[in-house]
Amino acid sequence: MSRTDLAGLLTEAAQSISGILTAEYPTPASRSYLHPVLGALSAGPQVVGELNEHLEEFMAAEPRPATAAGLFTLASYTSALGWLTESLAELTTAVDQICTRVGIPAGAGELAFATSEDAEEEDGFDFAFSVLELAAIRTAAEAAGLPPGDYVGVLSQSLLAASQITDACMEISNGLLEDTA
């Protein structure tokens, strides 16, 4: 493969990985706390599968990569694929923990709510909400069949997991683009 072809392989992989972050997945109101992670969770395995197929094609091509550029591309690609696979496994574990937490009986582990005039700290985080925010949380929690405190807790976990997969995908994608250059 030419250097242009090798660069194209890495660029396509970078674009596929960054595309995970824009994937949408319809989320029912009863699972709205999972909305931040469902797009990545649904698109990620497909991207891993496609990248793996491209890697197999790359390795099956004759002649096999033997130049410095070919071996560098192979190393970069396989490293990105491994990192993405590991990041998606961590996302899956986080979603599993969220789903397990949702199964906790009502009232267990409920966070205290506070208005902006009466803020209460929980584990170093300020969970102060306005009256409108409290109403929105209560509505979403009711639709999900959860106490408001539990809803905020699982939504927070979901947002954290979404942030982590976003960071990983951006680092992987940017690394591939740097390697392309």
Side-chain angles (χ1 to χ4, degrees), residues 10-24 39-40 43-44 47-48 50-51 80 84 88 165-177:
L10 294 180
T11 301
E12 284 179 34
Q15 291 170 343
S16 293
I17 292 169
S18 64
I20 292 170
L21 303 177
T22 58
E24 290 289 325
V47 170
V48 167
E50 290 171 2
L51 294 178
L84 177 62
L88 288 170
I165 194 67
T166 297
D167 290 347
C169 286
M170 291 306 299
E171 285 185 51
I172 296 165
S173 181
N174 289 337
L176 285 167
L177 292 175

Side-chain angles (χ1 to χ4, degrees), residues 101-102 104-111 113 146-155:
R101 182 172 177 181
V102 170
I104 296 173
E110 189 161 327
L111 298 172
F113 279 107
L146 295 171
D150 287 347
Y151 183 85
V152 169
V154 293
L155 180 59

Side-chain angles (χ1 to χ4, degrees), residues 131-152:
V131 172
L132 291 175
E133 291 167 330
L134 282 172
I137 290 168
R138 286 188 181 109
T139 300
E142 184 179 319
L146 295 171
D150 287 347
Y151 183 85
V152 169

